[in-house]
Amino acid sequence: MSVIEAANLTKTYRTFQRRSGVWGAVKDLFYREYEPLTAVDAISFAINDGELVGYIGPNGAGKSTSIKMLTGILRPSGGTARVLGYDPYSERKTYTHHIGVVFGQRTQLWWDIAVQESFRLLAKIYRVPEPLFKERLGQLSSILGLERLLATPVRKLSLGERMRCDLAASLLHRPRVLFLDEPTIGLDTLGKDAIRAFLKQVNENFGTTIILTTHDLREIEELCRRIIVIDHGRIIYDGALSALKAMPGIKRSLTVDFSATVSPGELIRLFDGKIPFEQQGERRASCEFDPQAIIPAEVVRTLMNALPVADLTLAEPSIEQVIMKIYRDGAQ
Amino acid sequence: MIYRSVALYAAYFAQFLKARLAYRADFAASLLSNLVGGAAGVLFVFFLMDGKTITNLRGWSREEILLIYGFSTIAMALFSFVSFNLFRFGDRYIVQGNFDRVLLRPLNSLCQVLFETFNIESLGTLAVGLAVVSYAGRRLGIAFTAMDYLWLLLGSLSGALILLAVFIFVASLSFHFEDRLGVSAPVYNLINFSRYPLPIFHPVIQFILQWIIPFAFSAFYPAAYFLKRPELLPYCYAVPAVAVVSLAIAGTAWSFGVRRYCSTGS
């Protein structure tokens, strides 16, 4: 059953070019040439109950704008969004009872009051009964290690601590859908690991549907089975992460160390010039090749039979490389 | 429903109070400065019209003017209690993007903005206003019957709501002009006209204060109820209605603005 549905969802902003200088600013006051800017261009997708989906794209691709339409902050210029059966924008006040949202860039908590006071206020806002609130707070703070932080005002927390508190805050009312916009931005490895592990738990234990935007592709690799890639406001990939790596044109890289000097000509001849080997010193060479054109095992066997191979590394493409490739292809 | 909202915003207030009282010295100092500031304005009128050089303003006596001034001070105090965020709305909520957070909560957006900060210090100004009204009232021979108390409550509450409505309207302009429009400062200065009898001003100003930015209904007409000037009474009775209409217009402008809200970058 799908809980999030976007159909031709579109957002167009009216922008104008500011003229430079003081006189330009004065002219801007009286006359502006507006140009429509389509930030999100007729995107459609459906996300099922309990899915954990990575929503990625370069800066300015339209990620945040789509998230803001799905969470009811922005009114779509066209198309429709439906989450849990609600129209996020027009039914905002009822709808937001059922979702949790975390923006990595800014906190949902009250700056000057202790974390637990913020939590208590949120429980009132979302009508969580006291016993249930206590139970959930206990649970969340033991998983996220918040006990020590509860009495601290938010402004005194470190970024990592604040993020953990924000996550707990977004889950007190046990939302069915959780939107996370760059939840690990600026965190160190330890902080990222803690949050990643926690999100996995939330998704598995509570069956919470999670949609996650991030620039950290390791995060995506570890958490999401499905990714949606957006660029220039359009969806350029929607599918399994594993299928992405098997896409044509995604290269494998090979590094070989020899026990004796091997000339570059020898290597090129060995594969009839099909693989562009590069010399990396006297006894080392490396190359990239398309595994769909030449079978990797074949390459290794040929090398081993013909040359004095000492060591050999065959690497899968990194997720970064894969994503970079789709961005490039999508841009064309 | 209403009960729940009241309880909720009372909880907002309690949280705010806790945070505010954490800085005790700062709180005490600003409470004192509000009290002194409020009293200074009153003393200015009191000594200016000391009965020797200036005895009246176009036929309005010192006591009458003090009564209007007192009403204005009460309305201002009630208004300042919840209006602080309106003055920094464009900057703090629109430009800095805090309005996103507001829209993510299952509550009315305007109420959240109003009730996220309180100006508790304005209680000092409120005390000054009440003292002035009671002093001027006694000098004017007002009996202060139950009906009079009721009017004091209704009139000053309506006055505060009119001020609130005007600045909600001004704040809602920030939805359309992100580049901080400096409208609220000049409008705020107009409030000063509401502390004196309307008829002493030039007709253009009278027209503006009565029909466009209805500050005349925020203090002058509520006070005029006590002044035994029968020609003003119809306007006095219109005060609560003006408050309701102003709030309705401001609320409409606000929701229209929310529809236009574009959020910021990232």
Side-chain angles (χ1 to χ4, degrees):
Chain A
M1 194 195 72
S2 67
V3 289
I4 303 177
E5 274 173 55
N8 292 316
L9 196 60
T10 303
K11 182 73 192 178
T12 312
Y13 293 113
R14 236 162 51 116
T15 59
F16 72 94
Q17 210 65 46
R18 274 175 209 278
R19 282 167 266 219
S20 61
V22 177
W23 178 237
V26 174
K27 279 203 279 187
D28 278 347
L29 268 182
F30 296 101
Y31 179 71
R32 290 170 177 186
E33 256 170 57
Y34 285 100
E35 253 178 60
L37 171 89
T38 306
V40 174
D41 192 0
I43 61 170
S44 303
F45 55 79
I47 292 172
N48 286 327
D49 203 3
E51 266 192 292
L52 204 169
V53 176
Y55 194 59
I56 57 181
N59 284 328
K63 290 183 308 254
S64 289
T65 303
S66 6
I67 296 286
K68 282 174 183 171
M69 284 193 283
L70 290 174
T71 50
I73 293 175
L74 288 181
R75 192 164 68 116
S77 321
T80 52
R82 278 209 99 68
V83 184
L84 299 165
Y86 293 98
D87 174 5
Y89 182 80
S90 66
E91 296 173 283
R92 183 184 72 79
K93 273 202 275 177
T94 339
Y95 164 66
T96 44
H97 267 291
H98 306 283
I99 59 164
V101 185
V102 176
F103 288 125
Q105 311 265 25
R106 52 177 77 103
T107 182
Q108 306 279 321
L109 305 169
W110 283 262
W111 203 241
D112 281 322
I113 56 179
V115 173
Q116 56 193 354
E117 306 280 3
S118 272
F119 286 171
R120 206 163 276 283
L121 199 48
L122 284 169
K124 279 208 180 87
I125 292 174
Y126 289 97
R127 305 183 207 184
V128 182
E130 184 70 18
L132 216 51
F133 165 69
K134 280 206 173 118
E135 184 197 316
R136 287 176 188 172
L137 182 60
Q139 205 176 13
L140 288 166
S141 45
S142 75
I143 308 176
L144 285 164
L146 303 182
E147 289 92 347
R148 208 173 38 80
L149 308 176
L150 286 176
T152 317
V154 175
R155 68 190 142 80
K156 288 192 180 159
L157 299 178
S158 75
L159 185 60
E161 292 168 339
R162 206 210 75 200
M163 208 54 233
R164 279 168 17 224
C165 292
D166 256 311
L167 269 175
S170 72
L171 289 165
L172 284 172
H173 54 293
R174 197 58 51 90
R176 285 186 56 205
V177 179
L178 185 59
F179 294 90
L180 303 163
D181 196 6
E182 306 194 26
T184 57
I185 195 164
L187 296 190
D188 59 21
T189 320
L190 218 63
K192 284 187 181 186
D193 283 345
I195 287 188
R196 225 176 275 156
F198 176 70
L199 291 179
K200 218 172 210 164
Q201 260 186 311
V202 169
N203 177 246
E204 280 163 14
N205 299 351
F206 306 146
T208 312
T209 308
I210 299 179
I211 180 162
L212 164 80
T213 82
T214 180
H215 284 295
D216 184 339
L217 297 167
R218 252 193 67 203
E219 204 161 284
I220 297 277
E221 207 156 16
E222 232 174 83
L223 285 175
C224 313
R225 235 167 278 139
R226 174 183 170 193
I227 62 169
I228 297 176
V229 184
I230 181 172
D231 193 15
H232 294 96
R234 290 172 169 276
I235 290 177
I236 52 178
Y237 181 83
D238 180 356
L241 191 61
S242 51
L244 201 64
K245 288 193 171 179
M247 273 196 349
I250 300 292
K251 299 206 166 147
R252 223 37 84 78
S253 71
L254 176 70
T255 309
V256 204
D257 286 305
F258 301 106
S259 50
T261 312
V262 171
S263 80
E266 232 174 314
L267 275 169
I268 304 282
R269 245 172 295 138
L270 192 60
F271 294 99
D272 300 327
K274 279 184 199 150
I275 300 178
F277 271 101
E278 269 174 35
Q279 198 81 15
Q280 309 245 311
E282 258 181 33
R283 296 180 171 188
R284 172 179 275 202
S286 70
C287 70
E288 280 191 346
F289 64 93
D290 183 352
Q292 313 245 316
I294 310 170
I295 298 161
E298 204 61 46
V299 177
V300 174
R301 194 175 309 130
T302 313
L303 274 172
M304 303 273 279
N305 287 342
L307 299 166
V309 173
D311 192 7
L312 179 145
T313 328
L314 187 60
E316 268 220 307
S318 75
I319 177 91
E320 274 92 351
Q321 286 167 314
V322 177
I323 298 294
M324 283 304 289
K325 177 158 170 42
I326 343 180
Y327 288 173
R328 272 200 302 272
D329 293 355
Q332 280 156 15
Chain B
M1 185 62 202
I2 286 175
Y3 169 75
R4 211 190 85 81
S5 298
V6 170
L8 188 61
Y9 293 118
Y12 265 70
F13 179 65
Q15 291 301 1
F16 177 83
L17 199 63
K18 263 184 243 170
R20 191 73 185 84
L21 293 180
Y23 305 89
R24 271 176 304 186
D26 181 48
F27 175 70
S30 53
L31 186 65
L32 190 70
S33 84
N34 260 264
L35 212 107
V36 172
V42 175
L43 291 177
F44 175 75
V45 176
F46 194 83
F47 288 121
L48 186 72
M49 303 181 68
D50 59 356
K52 288 172 198 141
T53 35
I54 305 172
T55 46
N56 68 76
L57 273 179
R58 283 203 180 170
W60 297 78
S61 72
R62 177 167 82 171
E63 279 66 35
E64 286 180 306
I65 288 178
L66 278 177
L67 188 78
I68 299 167
Y69 207 96
F71 259 90
S72 170
T73 308
I74 294 173
M76 281 292 284
L78 295 175
F79 160 70
S80 326
F81 193 69
V82 292
S83 66
F84 190 55
N85 274 340
L86 291 179
F87 294 100
R88 51 179 188 179
F89 180 71
D91 190 38
R92 195 186 161 94
Y93 286 83
I94 303 288
V95 176
Q96 290 178 32
N98 278 307
F99 201 63
D100 284 3
R101 170 177 53 78
V102 166
L103 289 179
L104 289 173
R105 299 213 170 114
L107 304 171
N108 180 286
S109 59
L110 178 57
C111 290
Q112 284 184 77
V113 171
L114 291 179
F115 301 139
E116 274 184 359
T117 307
F118 300 88
N119 183 17
I120 310 173
E121 294 84 343
S122 72
L123 292 178
T125 323
L126 181 67
V128 172
L130 287 170
V132 173
V133 167
S134 102
Y135 168 81
R138 262 189 287 114
R139 296 290 296 257
L140 287 165
I142 297 167
F144 283 118
T145 60
M147 193 59 201
D148 288 345
Y149 278 116
L150 193 68
W151 179 259
L152 183 63
L153 185 70
L154 187 69
S156 47
L157 212 55
S158 300
L161 289 176
I162 288 167
L163 294 174
L164 195 63
V166 168
F167 287 97
I168 288 170
F169 184 90
V170 170
S172 73
L173 295 177
S174 304
F175 286 114
H176 310 279
F177 309 96
E178 269 176 45
D179 15 20
R180 278 158 261 178
L181 227 56
V183 172
S184 60
V187 177
Y188 191 81
N189 287 333
L190 272 184
I191 297 179
N192 285 326
F193 287 101
S194 76
R195 325 195 112 171
Y196 298 95
L198 189 67
I200 69 169
F201 298 118
H202 187 277
V204 173
I205 295 178
Q206 287 191 38
F207 181 82
I208 292 174
L209 293 178
Q210 186 148 320
W211 301 112
I212 297 175
I213 305 174
F215 285 154
F217 293 90
S218 74
F220 173 62
Y221 286 127
Y225 171 85
F226 291 110
L227 296 182
K228 312 281 177 299
R229 295 186 188 236
E231 75 279 10
L232 297 177
L233 270 182
Y235 292 104
C236 302
Y237 292 131
V239 165
V242 172
V244 170
V245 172
S246 308
L247 272 181
I249 293 172
T252 310
W254 181 269
S255 356
F256 182 71
V258 174
R259 286 167 58 90
R260 282 282 304 271
Y261 175 62
C262 301
S263 187
T264 43
S266 65

